Amino acid sequence: MTEKPRAADPGSTGSAPGGSATAGQSAGEQPQVVIRDNRKIKTSEEPAATDAGTDVPAEGLVADAEVVVDEIEVEAASVDGPPVVDAPAQPVEGGTPGAGAELEGLRAELDERIRDLQRVTAEYANYRKRVDRDRSLVQEQATGSVLAALLPILDDLDRAREHGDLVGPFGSVAEQLTTALGRFGLNAFGEQGDPFDPTRHEAVAHQTSADVTEPTCVQVMRRGYQLGERLLRPAMVAVADPE
């Protein structure tokens, strides 16, 4: 007897009449897609060909696909997410321990060095003033020594002038010598009729007179000289007091 062919089992792997959904994919469901690095990744792939005569349930394939989708989404989130940046370290309040004491020590040392510099500057200024004063004094003393040695010659010229011998070429030389010595600051003093000054005059004679109202030099035996404000030699005079 010839057997009639059996109707196809609705749960088999074959295609259902009327274009039903394939195995491993439920009817009406679309494959899930995840975007990673601007690429589309299909998470629900077509089921692999099964061995002949072996039926694979569609529910198991869908469950596996969902697990893969979860893994891909987690990886994409970890890669495309914002970068993790460590927070900047907060400064310690109060600064470094011991920095305040070190700063105070440096300031104290700086103040001490400034005081030393000021003291040295003042000492140097005083030294310069003292050197300049000593230099001027030494120069004046040297000039005074030379002029004091020439005073006897000037006394002889004065006597010659009183007797009328200082004439002609000899008189011209005497005048030039007096002018040259005056350029060094030599000044002569002591004239008849000057008030008597004990600091500048040396009295060698003393008399009274009704013609004077105060001690007066009535006769000059030798003129005095001074160099600037320095007295080289007092004038030798005769003094008359009022009666």
Side-chain angles (χ1 to χ4, degrees):
M1 183 181 294
T2 305
E3 297 181 357
K4 295 180 180 182
R6 300 173 59 182
D9 189 3
S12 63
T13 60
S15 299
S20 61
T22 60
Q25 182 176 0
S26 302
E29 292 181 357
Q30 297 297 328
Q32 298 182 6
V33 178
V34 177
I35 298 176
R36 179 183 180 185
D37 298 336
N38 298 327
R39 293 180 298 174
K40 293 183 179 180
I41 300 174
K42 182 183 292 185
T43 58
S44 298
E45 298 178 354
E46 295 292 334
T50 58
D51 295 337
T54 304
D55 294 336
V56 180
E59 292 80 4
L61 294 177
V62 173
D64 294 341
E66 290 177 356
V67 172
V68 173
V69 169
D70 293 339
E71 293 178 357
I72 293 175
E73 289 177 354
V74 171
E75 183 179 359
S78 63
V79 173
D80 297 337
V84 178
V85 180
D86 295 337
Q90 298 296 331
V92 180
E93 297 182 358
T96 306
E102 184 178 0
L103 181 59
E104 293 296 332
L106 292 176
R107 288 179 178 175
E109 185 176 357
L110 178 60
D111 294 339
E112 183 178 359
R113 294 295 180 269
I114 291 176
R115 289 192 296 269
D116 293 341
L117 179 60
Q118 292 176 348
R119 182 170 57 255
V120 171
T121 303
E123 291 178 356
Y124 179 69
N126 294 333
Y127 169 76
R128 289 188 59 183
K129 292 179 181 178
R130 185 169 59 253
V131 168
D132 294 340
R133 183 176 62 252
D134 294 343
R135 183 185 296 112
S136 300
L137 181 60
V138 170
Q139 183 179 359
E140 184 180 354
Q141 290 177 350
T143 304
S145 299
V146 174
L147 295 179
L150 296 177
L151 294 182
I153 300 176
L154 296 179
D155 293 339
D156 293 339
L157 293 177
D158 289 339
R159 296 187 188 97
R161 186 179 294 107
E162 291 177 356
H163 291 82
D165 298 335
L166 201 60
V167 293
F170 185 69
S172 299
V173 173
E175 293 296 333
Q176 293 177 2
L177 178 60
T178 303
T179 303
L181 295 179
R183 294 175 182 172
F184 288 95
L186 182 65
N187 296 318
F189 65 92
E191 299 293 338
Q192 185 176 357
D194 292 341
F196 176 74
D197 186 359
T199 60
R200 303 178 62 193
H201 298 141
E202 180 182 358
V204 295
H206 186 272
Q207 61 185 6
T208 60
S209 174
D211 298 333
V212 296
T213 59
E214 59 180 356
T216 306
C217 299
V218 294
Q219 184 180 1
V220 178
M221 288 80 170
R222 188 184 65 185
R223 291 198 301 175
Y225 291 92
Q226 63 181 13
L227 179 61
E229 300 296 331
R230 179 185 177 187
L231 181 65
L232 293 180
R233 189 183 69 180
M236 187 180 298
V237 297
V239 180
D241 294 331
E243 294 181 354

